Amino acid sequence: AQKITQTQPGMFVQEKEAVTLDCTYDTSDQSYGLFWYKQPSSGEMIFLIYQGSYDEQNATEGRYSLNFQKARKSANLVISASQLGDSAMYFCAMRDNTDKLIFGTGTRLQVFP
Amino acid sequence: KAGVTQTPRYLIKTRGQQVTLSCSPISGHRSVSWYQQTPGQGLQFLFEYFSETQRNKGNFPGRFSGRQFSNSRSEMNVSTLELGDSALYLCASSRAGATNEQFFGPGTRLTVL
């Protein structure tokens, strides 16, 4: 069965430091996509970054980068130079072969001054 | 370009009532997916509509239904509400064939008393 695992319920990071949020996935499909979303307390899911299973280079979007290790089935999110506004829930998700998203349980990130 | 919009943002209903939630996708997006988010079950896929047809369905009872109109706007309906239906209902849209995107709306927070 396809599954996303986020083992860190909560993470703390000091402002301006980098932080890595872990995500591992399980699938037997050869073609799949991996997403990271940020969910502030308002509830909206904000798209951060996408990695396709055939993409050879790690995806980057501004301060966000995805450390994609296909053999290990991991897709960790790296946030560089954390800001107070980065405090939120972060969800890793996988697009399965029916095109629906399967989400992990999320990691609550708190950035402190 | 306007994002995904959902109405209403907040809703309070009592057990046994029915409710209809609305989602307007980003202009040009023809796929609309619905997700339920609860503290206990996390984010779960409800269904997806494409060109007015339900293309994919999650594991929810028949009380949950939806439809899509010719302008790609979608509605979901929950009949005979139960306390456990209290959740944040999120809608996401994407372009046809765009496997690397799913943009979410702000959600509708439903409380069943």
Side-chain angles (χ1 to χ4, degrees), chain A residues 42-58:
Chain A
S42 61
E44 184 172 1
M45 297 287 280
I46 301 168
F47 169 77
L48 295 178
I49 198 165
Y50 169 84
Q51 179 86 40
S53 58
Y54 293 118
D55 295 340
E56 294 186 352
Q57 296 210 343
N58 287 342

Side-chain angles (χ1 to χ4, degrees), chain A residues 33 35 37 39 41-47 50 91 95-96 98-104, chain B residues 9-10 35 37 43 45 48 55-56 88 90 94 98-106 109:
Chain A
F35 297 75
Y37 288 91
Q39 188 178 43
S41 56
S42 61
E44 184 172 1
M45 297 287 280
I46 301 168
F47 169 77
Y50 169 84
F91 290 93
R95 189 171 205 136
D96 72 5
T98 65
D99 282 345
K100 69 176 181 286
L101 290 180
I102 299 168
F103 285 87
Chain B
R9 292 294 310 280
Y10 302 91
Y35 292 83
Q37 185 177 24
L43 280 146
F45 172 79
E48 183 216 358
R55 191 162 69 170
N56 207 349
L88 179 66
L90 291 159
S94 63
T99 57
N100 63 341
E101 65 185 27
Q102 279 256 299
F103 296 103
F104 284 81
R109 191 168 295 280

